[in-house]
Amino acid sequence: MFASYLIGLREGLEATLVVSILVAFLVKSGRRERLPMVWAGVGVAVLLSVAFGALLTFTAAHLATQQQEMFDAVTSLAATVFVTFMIFWMRTAARKMSGELREKMGAALELGATAVVVVAFLSVAREGLETALLWFAAVQGATSSASPLIGITLGLLTSVALGWGLYRSALRINLTKFFTWTGLLLVLVAAGIFKYGVHDLQESGLVPGLNTHAFDISGVLDPSAWYSTLLSGMFNITPQPSVLEAVAWVAYLVPVLVLFLRPAAKTPASPASKSPQPAS
């Protein structure tokens, strides 16, 4: 549930921030009559995201066993790519997001109502489609309980509440720290999704070595214990991973963590600031 909650919170807050920026721009520029267009675009994006998630679930449920394993593997690997890109993209694009969205909305207002709907739709649809794909990939190893659905729903509701509080200036959140800490947790979640994708490839028979275990810590990590369920659900840490699964987990986690925790490059000083001062 926590992994699903984290995905819903992180992706939901990004989408909520986008919507709040667009709404604030229209309100401050005296174009409130265009607000229904924004909500129309957001609504279509949400419906598309839900339909995409339903399509993934329906497709997986109507495939043969081997085909289903391969489908799960592909979605897991694709989700790993998306979440990795999203984590690093937010580090560089968050500061410029507000200005870019205002510029796009300003241009859309000149073109008409349809353009406003399209801008709102595109701004939210990417986050929604990513959320559907990440959630589907994250819950492949889960049981048939409703916990993943409850988790992502709570995450999305929390993100909406936070976004509303930020819009109304009732909350003051250090977004840099928020995206850093949630990004760090998502790196661990993505490593587990990548590991599960490799596991599915082995179960489908496409990759060998399923029964060649790297280690067995079932004596220490009781598979039936609550903490084992927590670690498996959040980060796909299992007592008996195959050698290839363990290698894949480490091969993803170590370099991505190093790159993520590396300090951001400082912006070089402008030539004007380097020019010598005239002698007095």
Side-chain angles (χ1 to χ4, degrees):
M1 179 185 289
F2 182 78
S4 298
Y5 176 83
L6 180 63
I7 291 172
L9 176 63
R10 169 77 182 225
E11 293 286 341
L13 186 58
E14 288 183 31
T16 303
L17 288 174
V18 168
V19 174
S20 65
I21 290 170
L22 296 178
V23 171
F25 173 77
L26 291 177
V27 171
K28 291 180 179 180
S29 60
R31 305 298 295 271
R32 289 177 176 269
E33 74 278 2
R34 296 298 188 185
L35 286 177
M37 301 296 100
V38 171
W39 296 120
V42 171
V44 174
V46 171
L47 290 176
L48 177 64
S49 303
V50 173
F52 181 58
L55 177 62
L56 290 174
T57 304
F58 178 82
T59 302
H62 290 79
L63 292 174
T65 302
Q66 185 177 11
Q67 293 175 329
Q68 183 176 358
E69 298 296 344
M70 293 181 66
F71 180 77
D72 291 347
V74 170
T75 54
S76 295
L77 297 178
T80 304
V81 173
F82 276 114
V83 73
T84 305
F85 173 79
M86 177 264 294
I87 289 170
F88 286 99
W89 177 81
M90 279 303 296
R91 292 187 65 186
T92 57
R95 295 179 180 179
K96 302 183 295 182
M97 180 187 299
S98 179
E100 290 179 353
L101 286 172
R102 290 191 183 99
E103 182 180 348
K104 290 178 181 178
M105 183 57 74
L109 287 172
E110 299 296 328
L111 295 176
T114 303
V116 175
V117 175
V118 171
V119 169
F121 168 77
L122 294 178
S123 299
V124 177
R126 183 181 66 85
E127 305 296 343
L129 294 176
E130 282 183 3
T131 302
L133 179 61
L134 293 177
W135 178 76
F136 177 81
V139 303
Q140 289 310 296
T143 61
S144 58
S145 70
S147 295
L149 182 59
I150 295 173
I152 197 168
T153 301
L154 291 176
L156 291 172
L157 291 176
T158 303
S159 69
V160 171
L162 289 175
W164 174 252
L166 290 171
Y167 174 75
R168 302 297 298 179
S169 299
L171 295 177
R172 288 290 184 268
I173 298 177
N174 188 322
L175 291 177
T176 300
K177 290 185 178 180
F178 173 84
F179 284 119
T180 297
W181 284 106
T182 55
L184 182 62
L185 290 173
L186 277 178
V187 169
L188 296 172
V189 171
I193 293 175
F194 184 60
K195 172 178 173 287
Y196 191 80
V198 172
H199 176 80
D200 278 334
L201 288 175
Q202 291 183 308
E203 284 199 330
S204 69
L206 194 62
V207 176
L210 178 62
N211 297 317
T212 306
H213 297 142
F215 50 82
D216 185 356
I217 56 172
S218 55
V220 178
L221 191 65
D222 183 4
S224 61
W226 67 268
Y227 51 82
S228 299
T229 304
L230 180 65
L231 290 174
S232 178
M234 286 177 60
F235 309 125
N236 198 23
I237 297 177
T238 53
Q240 289 182 308
S242 68
V243 172
L244 190 56
E245 285 180 72
V247 169
W249 192 81
V250 174
Y252 174 87
L253 184 66
V254 172
V256 173
L257 269 183
V258 169
L259 291 174
F260 182 76
L261 296 175
R262 185 178 62 180
K266 295 183 179 180
T267 304
S270 61
S273 63
K274 294 182 179 180
S275 59
Q277 296 295 326
S280 56

